[in-house]
Amino acid sequence: MIEAETITTVMRALADPTRRAVFERIVNSKEITVVELTRGSNVTQGAISQHLKSLKQAGLVSERPEGRNVYYRAEPSGLEPLADWMGHYGTFWRERFTDLRKLLKEIDP
């Protein structure tokens, strides 16, 4: 199972609606700058930078400096801890629902 701290970091990064919107814009772009992210939102450049810092610390985005610009892109592997965690519980619940279905058929055939 994945470390709880890693999952918590990813979940916290994506829990904020504004940060999640920033992440989604990055996912939908090959690469995007802070200026471009700021232009398309009602959030200040400073706030965007703080959101990017959290996303980067969670491993959800990476950056590529070029001249005066820094380009951000999504890191698909950053979602793996969350996907693994959800997959583990998905299996757990599928088994429970199968057991419940069997029980209900026994009770009321």
Side-chain angles (χ1 to χ4, degrees), residues 53-101:
K53 180 180 177 184
S54 295
L55 292 169
K56 187 177 168 195
Q57 287 175 340
L60 295 168
V61 299
S62 61
E63 61 183 21
R64 179 182 63 82
E66 185 179 296
R68 296 212 263 170
N69 291 315
V70 178
Y71 293 88
Y72 290 88
R73 68 182 158 276
E75 285 296 329
S77 62
L79 289 173
E80 285 178 12
L82 185 57
D84 291 346
W85 182 81
M86 291 173 62
H88 170 75
Y89 285 99
T91 301
F92 171 83
W93 284 110
R94 275 190 295 281
E95 290 172 2
R96 296 309 178 276
F97 286 132
T98 299
D99 292 345
L100 178 60
R101 199 173 293 119

Side-chain angles (χ1 to χ4, degrees), residues 34-62:
V34 175
V35 173
E36 293 169 315
L37 286 166
T38 303
R39 237 185 255 135
S41 69
N42 294 323
V43 183
T44 66
Q45 186 169 340
I48 293 288
S49 294
Q50 287 298 313
H51 288 306
L52 288 168
K53 180 180 177 184
S54 295
L55 292 169
K56 187 177 168 195
Q57 287 175 340
L60 295 168
V61 299
S62 61

